Amino acid sequence: MDLLGLARPRPVTFALANDVVEADSHDGPADGPGCFARVFVSPELDGWTFVAGRWCDPIDDERADEVLRACERLSARYGRAQAYYYGAQGDGSAWVVAEGGAVIRRYSETGDGDDHLLTIGAPLPFERDRRVELGLAPDWDAAHASEDEEDEWKWAVFDMAPALAQAIGLSPLTIGSDTPMRGTGVLALTEYGTANGVPPGAYSI
């Protein structure tokens, strides 16, 4: 947690962590510091540690640059680090993938007209393979793609984050009682939580 500047870790159940992260992310002002105040740091799960919360959003206007740098720092120490956005209600997908201290890919498809400004690096093998499955060119230039091709790819990417995470690491949507686990999960304060406190609320445990 030192690389991320997290503080005051408190052991929690998965149920409580999910309730707190959901409330912080969705129940308060969308642009207030409370939505970034806390994160859940999971126990080690099949070799991976998850950090969950709005603070980790790789395409948030306020957080995107720092999430990119955090992935670089973490991958420099641990070899690989990734950050994902997934809008389960059809709001799109985005990812940052870093290896050995460098970001090799950032990509976003959320329907925002500025998505293309976030792109870094060449398509990942998973992206290329998925395009071939769709009958599209594995490498592409959005400026020269047809509208139909762009639409087909956009809608495929909207739901892609969980599948990509599983292909190159571990998707949180696949975690279950049989997932190898070591350690204890904690809620921790980010720099926003340390400076401003956390939103009030009652949560399920």
Side-chain angles (χ1 to χ4, degrees):
M1 294 196 302
D2 58 319
L3 282 180
L4 298 177
L6 302 177
R8 294 170 57 186
R10 170 191 172 192
V12 290
T13 63
F14 280 89
L16 176 56
N18 183 71
D19 212 27
V20 170
V21 167
E22 282 290 312
D24 286 357
S25 298
H26 300 295
D27 292 350
D31 57 352
C35 68
F36 301 128
R38 292 176 283 198
V39 292
F40 172 55
V41 182
S42 78
E44 183 181 308
L45 297 164
D46 200 14
W48 289 87
T49 300
F50 290 84
V51 182
R54 175 85 177 273
W55 183 79
C56 308
D57 185 344
I59 57 171
D60 181 86
D61 289 343
E62 183 170 342
R63 293 290 306 152
D65 289 345
E66 175 52 32
V67 171
L68 192 80
R69 290 191 292 268
C71 286
E72 291 173 335
R73 294 194 301 272
L74 289 168
S75 70
R77 176 177 291 187
Y78 299 109
R80 293 187 291 167
Q82 301 152 19
Y84 294 91
Y85 167 82
Y86 175 54
Q89 304 300 317
D91 296 321
S93 289
W95 46 84
V96 172
V97 178
E99 295 182 356
V103 169
I104 62 172
R105 182 63 162 162
R106 180 169 68 180
Y107 191 72
S108 175
E109 284 285 2
T110 64
D112 188 312
D114 290 334
D115 276 336
H116 66 284
L117 298 177
L118 293 169
T119 300
I120 295 174
L124 299 170
F126 184 90
E127 295 174 58
R128 291 191 174 99
D129 290 346
R130 184 70 182 103
R131 286 183 65 88
V132 170
E133 291 172 3
L134 294 169
L136 302 173
D139 294 288
W140 73 100
D141 181 349
H144 297 97
S146 72
E147 185 174 342
D148 287 345
E149 289 174 334
E150 279 298 292
D151 283 346
E152 185 169 10
W153 178 239
K154 178 182 75 174
W155 291 115
V157 173
F158 260 46
D159 294 322
M160 192 176 289
L164 173 62
Q166 186 64 25
I168 63 175
L170 181 66
S171 168
L173 301 186
T174 67
I175 295 169
S177 58
D178 59 342
T179 302
M181 182 176 72
R182 185 176 67 174
T184 302
V186 299
L187 275 178
L189 297 185
T190 68
E191 70 275 22
Y192 295 86
T194 300
N196 302 292
V198 300
Y203 309 104
S204 301
I205 60 172

